[in-house]
Amino acid sequence: MACRDLTRAERAAEEIRQSTGNGNVVIRHLDLASTYSIRQFAKDFLDSEERLDILINNAGVMMCPKQLTEDNFETQLAVNHLGHFLLTNLLLPKLKSSSPSRVVNVSSVAHRGGTPTPLKDLSADVCVVSLTPRVFTGRIDFDDLFFSQRPYSALESYRQSKLANILFSRELARRLSGSGVSSFSLHPGVIRTELGRHVEGWFPLLGLLLKLPSLLLMKTPWEGCQTTLYCAVTPGLEDLSGCYFSDCAEKETAPEGRDDVVARKLWEVSTRLVGLKNTC
């Protein structure tokens, strides 16, 4: 268990030990908002562990106020996408040597937006052609990933990061074809966790609604993890590598989640941002 808060992590680990009888539950510190922390974690893991069969990229923040990480990345894109992108790439040697293995990326139905901005692929160059006003329309804004030029929107930033999860998973599957490593993305559902702690600040009415008894129909954490577990352990999913799941079944993403040109562009940009020299 790779966690930012080791105190809470130890409580969770002890609950797992007690409920399962499995004492072999290890916690390690990992802050996905810090490329230094990610590199240190990956180095320690590669040096000490023999196998990595399943990597579940589950961490995330949602609709938080605009902040920059120590690497000067906008927090939501940094934690939700760039951190997982760097971590996965650093751990790929162990995933490959442990194949068949899997990478499971927890995304969200929030990746859906409006009409995506068209992109045209001109041989090796990718040209972004904007035919719409400069507003978020369910796409990756390569011209302003960190909202340094446009007004910050917590919701738009969150959507962009969740779309990035899906495109990363799709491109990872393409690059790892034939390696024995599979990649999946998923929507876990609307779950009663602390993930939405910032929602009330941005949308007071929505925050009030979230407290109403009617929304007790939201999934419990146990229910919300079922699709993640499905992607992690269900036999025979290898042929669906790169696909998106919800409610333990393959589902179709929004059109912008199936754009391979954007997926390749995102991979290239992400590689430069996190300082990776070699990727799969």
Side-chain angles (χ1 to χ4, degrees), residues 16 22 26 32 36 76 87 106 109 113 115 134 146 149 153 168 181 191 195 199 223-224 254:
I16 294 170
N22 179 8
V26 178
L32 285 166
Y36 173 83
Q76 292 196 90
L87 177 66
V106 179
V109 71
T115 303
R134 192 174 178 78
F146 301 140
Q149 302 173 33
S153 165
F168 164 52
V181 184
I191 310 168
L195 181 63
V199 173
E223 293 167 335

Side-chain angles (χ1 to χ4, degrees), residues 8-84:
R8 297 179 66 187
E10 181 53 41
R11 288 201 297 265
E14 185 57 28
E15 182 178 338
I16 294 170
R17 297 183 190 110
Q18 294 294 330
S19 62
T20 65
N22 179 8
N24 190 23
V25 180
V26 178
I27 61 172
R28 296 174 185 258
H29 181 260
L30 173 62
D31 183 355
L32 285 166
S34 165
T35 58
Y36 173 83
S37 176
I38 295 166
R39 290 181 181 277
Q40 189 62 50
F41 169 85
K43 180 181 183 302
D44 292 345
F45 186 92
L46 293 173
D47 289 344
S48 61
E49 299 296 330
E50 295 182 359
R51 298 186 59 84
L52 177 54
D53 297 283
I54 303 167
L55 173 64
I56 298 177
N57 291 319
N58 179 70
V61 291
M62 184 174 78
M63 295 178 60
C64 54
K66 185 179 181 181
Q67 296 175 326
L68 297 180
T69 68
E70 62 187 48
D71 302 293
N72 288 318
F73 302 150
E74 186 273 323
T75 299
Q76 292 196 90
L77 191 67
V79 173
N80 296 352
H81 166 61
L82 291 172
H84 290 135

Side-chain angles (χ1 to χ4, degrees), residues 114-125:
T115 303
T117 297
L119 285 97
K120 183 173 10 177
D121 190 2
L122 303 177
S123 79
D125 297 321

Side-chain angles (χ1 to χ4, degrees), residues 117-118 129-133:
T117 297
V129 183
S130 178
L131 302 180
T132 58

Side-chain angles (χ1 to χ4, degrees), residues 59-160:
V61 291
M62 184 174 78
M63 295 178 60
C64 54
K66 185 179 181 181
Q67 296 175 326
L68 297 180
T69 68
E70 62 187 48
D71 302 293
N72 288 318
F73 302 150
E74 186 273 323
T75 299
Q76 292 196 90
L77 191 67
V79 173
N80 296 352
H81 166 61
L82 291 172
H84 290 135
F85 176 85
L86 176 59
L87 177 66
T88 303
N89 273 282
L90 293 176
L91 295 179
L92 273 179
K94 194 69 70 177
L95 284 160
K96 289 179 178 179
S97 67
S98 305
S99 65
S101 55
R102 297 184 182 185
V103 179
V104 179
N105 296 293
V106 179
S107 180
S108 171
V109 71
H111 77 277
R112 297 180 181 276
T115 303
T117 297
L119 285 97
K120 183 173 10 177
D121 190 2
L122 303 177
S123 79
D125 297 321
V126 177
C127 177
V128 179
V129 183
S130 178
L131 302 180
T132 58
R134 192 174 178 78
V135 296
F136 182 83
T137 55
R139 64 187 177 94
I140 306 295
D141 191 333
F142 291 112
D143 294 328
D144 191 16
L145 282 172
F146 301 140
F147 290 81
S148 49
Q149 302 173 33
R150 53 186 163 144
Y152 178 71
S153 165
L155 179 58
E156 292 174 12
S157 175
Y158 182 67
R159 283 176 171 170
Q160 178 177 246

Side-chain angles (χ1 to χ4, degrees), residues 149-188:
Q149 302 173 33
R150 53 186 163 144
Y152 178 71
S153 165
L155 179 58
E156 292 174 12
S157 175
Y158 182 67
R159 283 176 171 170
Q160 178 177 246
S161 71
K162 294 290 100 179
L163 175 58
N165 292 153
I166 290 172
L167 293 171
F168 164 52
S169 187
R170 185 180 180 91
E171 178 66 6
L172 182 66
R174 185 187 72 81
R175 289 172 176 259
L176 293 178
S177 178
S179 70
V181 184
S182 304
S183 171
F184 308 99
S185 63
L186 65 101
H187 168 57

